[in-house]
Amino acid sequence: MVYGLLAVWTSMGWTYVTLILSHCILLYSISLVKIRWLCFVTGLCTLSMFKCEPFLSWQAGFVEGDFELRHVLFYGGCGFTIMRCMSFALENCERKDGNYNILELLKYNFYLPFFYFGPIMTFDKFYVQVNKSDLTRKEWEMWNIRVEGLIQLGVIIVVDILFHFMYILTIPTDIKLMKHLSDWALVGLAYFNLVYDWVKAAVMFGVINTVARLDHLDPPKPPKCITMLYVFAETHFDRGINDWLCKYVYDHLGGKHNDVVEELVATLCTFGVTILWLGPCQVVLVWAFFNCFGLNFELWTAKLSSREPFASFEIALTEAMSRRIRAVFNTFNFWCIVLYNVLALNSLDFAKLVAKRLLLKGFPITTIIVMFVTYCLIQVIKERERRQAMIDDPDPPASPPNATTSPTCTAAAPADSHPVTDPSKEKAE
């Protein structure tokens, strides 16, 4: 805690530390009342102060100096601080015997590897891990940490070289140039935009997680590779934020995610918090609308497919044919994932241009070839996941449990709504 405080003080100034401490003290004081909704409202109001004027400019004035990373560190430190303080307050409300000490909150918030850029580890997990008495390491654990560190360093160097010569994020800003590109170049550019964002998140969280593992912590893992995301339930780029939203909003309000009304309320509230976290703007609102609709549409499709005659139709199919049909739907899921996230990463115009080229102007040659290649890719991924599921659980249950989907970046498609067990879906479900 002391090291984290000194590091923040040195990099951002004592006035910034005072600002952060004021938010911690405020939410700690509210948590003593042990009223869950009051803690949530206070946290969201505090978070909104970093998204609207004049509160934003006033608080930004607490940062001393004018260095290159000033704004990045300011927004990162403040945003993640409030999310951590909300986690602490909500966990304190759930505690039956007494309250957590404010020092626990300061240790939790000022742990330096997580302070500026996350990931967010919910307080209950952090508290258990930092207070465990057994600090022995597993066999080969230190060797694995060293290898991961070297891999992260190598990836950083490779990515820096590649993106110095490949203007993946700059090209989509020039729509006139986009119109002169071929269908293949445009589709590839859209895909590599997501690859860029995934690599950025994977490297950042990978480095932070490697350091945290040296402190005997088990932080949230980096995001799953974008190429493997044919299921909307796994399309989150920040597992920490996803776990936070699921624990305190989505699962809390949605229950078992079987009721249509409860699911609608849960997704609306979840994406409401997500919009506030990302900052309300046109692109974020459009992105949230499609994904909020998508989560509910998946439940509606699952309800419909479990009824007759759809249930009997799938039971009559062989396992191989059922998987082929799923892969066809997953092919469209994959490109919906690409388009939805390109919308958030670049612009609405770029996403519309890619969709038009892929589905309309490029039809039938480009559309059929791209979809066929994607279909083959998904079949390979499904087979890999099936084998891994057999290794992890040689005797899976007769019917899978209800899937708890991830709300932070999901979208609609009727793909995985069939009621029959699919071994390749065990992991996602």
Side-chain angles (χ1 to χ4, degrees):
M1 180 190 69
V2 173
Y3 178 75
L5 278 166
L6 292 175
V8 176
W9 188 344
T10 303
S11 58
M12 300 292 283
W14 69 271
T15 53
Y16 179 76
V17 174
T18 304
L19 175 66
I20 296 297
L21 287 174
S22 68
H23 291 305
C24 293
I25 294 172
L26 172 63
L27 282 162
Y28 176 76
S29 302
I30 297 297
S31 71
L32 297 179
V33 183
K34 294 206 171 187
I35 302 177
R36 187 183 179 91
W37 68 265
L38 184 60
C39 295
F40 219 97
V41 171
T42 304
L44 294 180
C45 290
T46 308
L47 183 62
S48 65
M49 294 174 64
F50 293 98
K51 307 297 180 181
C52 59
E53 296 291 352
F55 305 103
L56 175 59
S57 299
W58 175 69
Q59 293 185 99
F62 280 81
V63 183
E64 300 174 354
D66 190 21
F67 51 95
E68 186 176 358
L69 292 177
R70 174 180 178 271
H71 295 288
V72 176
L73 299 182
F74 171 78
Y75 287 113
C78 292
F80 282 109
T81 289
I82 294 173
M83 300 295 277
R84 284 188 290 262
C85 289
M86 289 179 66
S87 177
F88 173 87
L90 294 170
E91 293 297 334
N92 195 54
C93 292
E94 297 295 327
R95 185 170 185 175
K96 303 300 181 182
D97 51 336
N99 300 288
Y100 290 107
N101 194 295
I102 191 172
L103 289 178
E104 298 293 345
L105 172 59
L106 297 180
K107 286 192 294 184
Y108 172 51
N109 184 61
F110 284 98
Y111 178 62
L112 190 61
F114 296 163
F115 181 79
Y116 284 117
F117 302 111
I120 292 178
M121 181 188 294
T122 55
F123 177 74
D124 56 331
K125 295 180 180 179
F126 184 85
Y127 181 79
V128 170
Q129 293 182 25
V130 299
N131 289 287
K132 62 183 179 182
S133 57
D134 183 15
L135 297 180
T136 58
R137 295 193 181 276
K138 299 178 182 179
E139 187 179 3
W140 297 102
E141 184 176 357
M142 281 304 301
W143 170 259
N144 293 333
I145 292 176
R146 294 189 186 99
V147 171
E148 286 184 8
L150 291 175
I151 291 175
Q152 296 296 336
L153 179 61
V155 172
I156 290 173
I157 295 174
V158 171
V159 169
D160 192 47
I161 294 174
L162 289 177
F163 289 109
H164 182 74
F165 295 101
M166 298 175 64
Y167 302 95
I168 292 176
L169 295 183
T170 306
I171 295 176
T173 60
D174 191 343
I175 299 299
K176 292 183 179 180
L177 175 62
M178 294 294 94
K179 294 179 179 179
H180 293 288
L181 293 180
S182 65
D183 296 342
W184 300 103
L186 200 60
V187 170
L189 185 63
Y191 170 73
F192 279 107
N193 264 261
L194 284 192
V195 172
Y196 166 80
D197 195 63
W198 170 76
V199 171
K200 179 180 68 176
V203 170
M204 182 174 69
F205 292 135
V207 172
I208 293 173
N209 290 359
T210 301
V211 176
R213 289 180 62 193
L214 291 173
D215 289 330
H216 297 272
L217 296 180
D218 185 19
K221 297 179 181 179
K224 187 176 180 180
C225 178
I226 183 62
T227 307
M228 308 286 286
L229 295 179
Y230 65 89
V231 177
F232 285 102
E234 297 185 351
T235 53
H236 44 267
F237 283 77
D238 188 336
R239 293 181 188 265
I241 293 292
N242 181 75
D243 293 342
W244 192 100
L245 288 169
C246 283
K247 181 176 178 62
Y248 299 120
V249 185
Y250 187 63
D251 292 338
H252 182 75
L253 298 175
K256 296 182 179 180
H257 305 288
N258 289 326
D259 185 76
V260 174
V261 177
E262 289 182 353
E263 183 76 356
L264 179 61
V265 173
T267 51
L268 287 174
C269 294
T270 299
F271 281 101
V273 176
T274 306
I275 290 171
L276 186 60
W277 165 255
L278 296 175
C281 63
Q282 181 186 10
V283 172
V284 173
L285 291 173
V286 173
W287 170 85
F289 170 79
F290 280 113
N291 289 286
C292 184
F293 171 79
L295 266 178
N296 289 277
F297 188 75
E298 280 189 337
L299 177 62
W300 303 337
T301 308
K303 292 283 187 180
L304 180 62
S305 62
S306 63
R307 299 176 181 271
E308 296 295 342
F310 302 104
S312 299
F313 175 73
E314 185 170 4
I315 292 175
L317 296 175
T318 63
E319 182 179 342
M321 182 57 67
S322 177
R323 195 172 92 163
R324 293 189 188 103
I325 294 175
R326 290 171 181 267
V328 171
F329 284 114
N330 292 145
T331 301
F332 292 97
N333 285 7
F334 183 90
W335 282 104
C336 283
I337 291 172
V338 173
L339 292 175
Y340 282 6
N341 288 279
V342 162
L343 166 67
L345 293 175
N346 296 107
S347 65
L348 180 60
D349 292 334
F350 180 58
K352 289 167 59 178
L353 182 61
V354 174
K356 183 178 179 181
R357 287 287 195 92
L358 180 62
L359 302 176
L360 299 178
K361 190 175 179 179
F363 186 84
I365 303 299
T366 303
T367 306
I368 293 176
I369 294 178
V370 170
M371 293 301 177
F372 177 74
V373 172
T374 307
Y375 170 84
C376 295
L377 170 67
I378 289 172
Q379 286 284 33
V380 172
I381 298 170
K382 277 180 170 288
E383 178 63 18
R384 179 181 178 274
E385 291 184 350
R386 185 189 68 83
R387 294 184 180 184
Q388 187 62 42
M390 296 299 294
I391 295 174
D392 296 339
D393 188 5
D395 298 313
S399 59
N402 293 325
T404 302
T405 55
S406 304
T408 53
C409 191
T410 47
D416 299 291
S417 307
H418 303 280
V420 180
T421 302
D422 180 1
S424 68
K425 287 292 296 157
E426 290 290 334
K427 182 178 179 182
E429 303 209 11

